[in-house]
Structures are given as structure tokens and as C-alpha cells.
């Protein structure tokens, strides 16, 4: 099921021995368009005032969407002693090395799958952590972006501006960002449309723009979407057909990113 990233804010995050705090944001990687971390504002006597911690979906034990609650397979003490990371600054690959090494999680980068050796954020035993660290060291830094930062970015079509990013819709199993919700109210009053971030040609973080190789009129004529409308498979089929894009759930689409990532990994210079 697809979930609004904006609506994930305010979820209760609980450790095995009590509540940790509330979600305030998420970090999305700008390569695989996947939510890598929740940013949680911790509370209670165990944590420093205003302390924010990163929580990886790998640590999820139970997700209760109706209660707006994420239960973790971690203790509060474990979270409290995790490597210090300034969540208001770009999170470097070295910080992620420290984070995953501390928790003993397999790394998600340096492999073809969205979550390392798998398609979902789960602990996959087998390959020693050091082996994944050695392999991942061949990859350059990959900056993680705040979803709050992304909201408000302008959308630049192939011929004109279109609107701005209002929200991100994420798959609640793989945590991949499937769509950007684009508000076009400056041109077409009240209309929101969806585009997949994978259809973008580039993102200019300096200019706060997402560039699409799609004409403004094409986007204007796409199937309208509102937050009250579920994104079911029938809607997705119409959306992909309108844009002439192969569905992400097609076998060839699932294989292509893996092959592309493997090719990219082979050409990355060693650092």
C-alpha cells in the first residue's frame, strides 16, 4: 500500500522497553528514491532535550498504521547510544558506515537490490558485515535528502514550469518512493497529479528543482489525483499508460534497476 510521507509525521516510535518519541521527518536517498531513515524526536528522561535520532526500517518489528505507531526491535538504551548524527546536515556515507556497524545491519549500498541483497528492509544474515563494508567503500558518498526539504521543490517540464512537489507517496513494504504528488494550482486550480521520481532527468538541489522530460500539456492531461483517492492498480495502469512508461511492477522493470546499479558499481572509481 502507498502511504503519504507527510502523514507519517507524528507517528509514535516505541522500543521494546517503552516509547522513544515521535517521527518528524524522513530521509530519502536521491539514487534509489527510497526512505532510508525516520527522523525521530526522542523524549523522556533517557534522552537529551530535543535529541533527534535516526531509525532505519530494518529495525521495524511491527507497524500499526491505524494506531499511527512503529514498534522497533531495539531497546531505548541501544538507540540512545547510537552514533551521533546531525540530522540537520547531509548524512555522509561514513556516518552511515558507523550507524550500520553499530547496529550490525547489512549495508544497503554496493549491491543491486534496493536494500542491499534484498528488496525489503529486513535483516539478511549470511555475508559478514566487513565484506559489505569493503565492497561499499568503492562507492562515493550518496547524500540523503529530507522529505520536508523536497516538498516545495519546483517541477520543470521539458517546455515550461508545472508546479511544485507537495508530497511523496511511499510503498509501506519496500519503502520506495513510488510517486511525487505535484500541486499545479498555479496553473490549473485545485489539480494534483502524480509522477514517478524515476521519470525525472535530474534534480538540482541548489536550484530546488526537479526536471522532467515531459511536456506541460502532457502532465496537465494526466489522470487527476487527490489525497482522498486511493492509488490502486487500476489508477496506476492508467497513469503509466498515459505517460507511456513501463510499470514498476513489470518483471523487466524490476530487473532493470538491478542491472543498471551493477553496471554503475563496476564503473565507480575506488576511493
Amino acid at each position: 500500500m502507498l502511504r503519504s510521507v507527510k502523514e507519517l509525521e507524528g507517528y509514535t516510535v516505541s522500543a521494546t522497553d517503552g516509547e522513544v518519541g515521535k517521527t518528524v521527518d524522513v530521509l530519502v536517498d536521491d539514487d534509489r528514491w527510497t526512505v532510508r531513515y525516520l527522523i525521530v524526536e526522542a523524549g523522556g528522561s533517557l534522552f537529551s532535550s530535543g535529541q533527534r535520532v535516526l531509525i532505519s526500517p530494518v529495525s521495524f518489528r511491527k507497524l500499526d498504521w491505524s494506531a499511527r505507531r512503529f514498534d522497533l526491535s531495539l531497546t531505548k538504551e541501544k538507540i540512545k547510544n547510537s552514533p551521533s548524527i546531525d540530522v540537520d546536515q547531509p548524512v555522509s556515507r561514513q556516518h552511515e558506515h558507523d550507524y550500520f556497524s553499530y547496529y550490525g545491519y547489512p549495508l544497503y549500498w554496493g549491491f543491486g537490490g534496493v536494500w542491499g541483497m534484498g528488496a525489503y528492509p529486513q535483516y539478511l544474515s549470511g555475508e559478514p558485515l566487513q565484506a559489505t563494508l569493503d565492497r561499499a567503500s568503492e562507492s562515493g558518498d550518496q547524500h540523503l535528502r529530507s522529505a520536508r526539504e523536497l516538498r516545495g521543490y519546483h517541477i520543470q517540464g521539458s517546455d515550461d514550469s508545472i508546479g511544485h512537489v507537495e508530497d511523496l507517496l511511499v510503498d509501506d513494504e519496500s519503502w520506495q518512493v513510488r510517486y511525487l504528488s505535484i500541486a499545479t494550482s498555479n496553473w490549473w486550480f485545485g489539480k494534483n497529479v502524480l509522477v514517478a521520481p524515476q521519470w525525472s532527468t535530474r534534480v538540482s538541489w541548489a536550484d530546488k528543482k526537479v526536471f522532467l522530460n515531459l511536456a506541460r500539456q502532457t502532465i496537465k492531461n494526466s489522470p487527476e489525483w487527490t489525497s482522498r483517492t486511493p492509488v490502486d492498480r487500476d489508477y496506476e495502469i492508467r497513469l503509466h499508460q498515459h505517460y507511456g512508461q513501463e510499470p514498476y511492477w513489470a518483471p523487466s522493470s524490476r530487473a532493470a534497476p538491478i542491472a543498471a546499479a551493477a553496471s554503475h558499481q563496476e564503473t565507480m572509481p575506488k576511493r
Side-chain angles (χ1 to χ4, degrees):
M1 184 174 177
L2 299 184
R3 307 279 180 179
S4 158
V5 166
K6 188 187 297 185
E7 292 182 1
L8 292 180
E9 296 177 7
Y11 271 54
T12 298
V13 176
S14 291
T16 56
D17 54 351
E19 184 175 317
V20 175
K22 304 285 187 180
T23 57
V24 294
D25 200 356
V26 303
L27 294 181
V28 179
D29 80 46
D30 57 14
D31 179 31
R32 293 301 185 89
W33 287 99
T34 302
V35 170
R36 298 301 182 186
Y37 304 99
L38 304 180
I39 300 179
V40 178
E41 188 167 286
S45 58
L46 191 63
F47 298 94
S48 304
S49 177
Q51 182 178 352
R52 292 187 173 188
V53 295
L54 296 185
I55 298 296
S56 167
V58 176
S59 67
F60 289 168
R61 178 169 55 90
K62 179 182 177 183
L63 309 179
D64 190 335
W65 299 104
S66 59
R68 295 174 57 84
R69 179 187 180 95
F70 297 145
D71 290 336
L72 310 178
S73 57
L74 303 170
T75 65
K76 291 192 292 183
E77 187 71 24
K78 186 72 172 179
I79 296 169
K80 174 183 179 293
N81 295 326
S82 63
S84 177
I85 296 176
D86 185 353
V87 297
D88 293 324
Q89 300 295 325
V91 177
S92 71
R93 186 64 89 207
Q94 184 57 52
H95 279 134
E96 290 194 276
H97 272 302
D98 295 342
Y99 180 93
F100 276 77
S101 179
Y102 172 76
Y103 283 113
Y105 295 153
L107 306 181
Y108 65 81
W109 62 91
F111 300 91
V114 174
W115 286 94
M117 297 294 287
Y120 300 98
Q122 55 186 326
Y123 183 85
L124 300 171
S125 59
E127 186 167 10
L129 179 63
Q130 187 57 49
T132 66
L133 286 171
D134 291 342
R135 186 179 310 178
S137 67
E138 300 181 3
S139 298
D141 277 357
Q142 177 181 338
H143 292 296
L144 300 169
R145 308 291 173 176
S146 156
R148 281 192 174 186
E149 176 189 356
L150 281 167
R151 296 202 295 265
Y153 273 37
H154 292 285
I155 302 297
Q156 179 66 46
S158 58
D159 55 353
D160 206 347
S161 297
I162 295 162
H164 66 271
V165 178
E166 188 170 72
D167 200 0
L168 295 80
L169 299 185
V170 61
D171 186 309
D172 63 10
E173 292 185 345
S174 68
W175 289 88
Q176 287 182 273
V177 179
R178 295 300 186 193
Y179 301 105
L180 304 177
S181 169
I182 310 302
T184 64
S185 55
N186 289 344
W187 292 270
W188 313 301
F189 180 74
K191 181 167 184 176
N192 278 51
V193 296
L194 299 183
V195 296
Q198 292 80 6
W199 302 343
S200 64
T201 56
R202 68 186 178 95
V203 179
S204 173
W205 305 108
D207 297 329
K208 298 189 175 183
K209 284 186 178 181
V210 179
F211 292 81
L212 299 172
N213 190 27
L214 298 168
R216 180 177 169 183
Q217 191 64 33
T218 300
I219 296 176
K220 178 181 179 181
N221 294 335
S222 67
E224 186 173 0
W225 176 81
T226 71
S227 59
R228 298 182 300 277
T229 305
V231 181
D232 56 23
R233 190 46 53 86
D234 287 340
Y235 175 88
E236 289 189 284
I237 290 173
R238 288 191 293 115
L239 187 70
H240 283 74
Q241 287 177 342
H242 172 78
Y243 287 116
Q245 298 286 339
E246 187 172 25
Y248 64 83
W249 58 88
S252 58
S253 293
R254 290 197 296 268
I258 296 177
S263 174
H264 177 70
Q265 175 65 19
E266 292 172 359
T267 60
M268 288 295 293
K270 293 186 178 181
R271 303 184 62 186

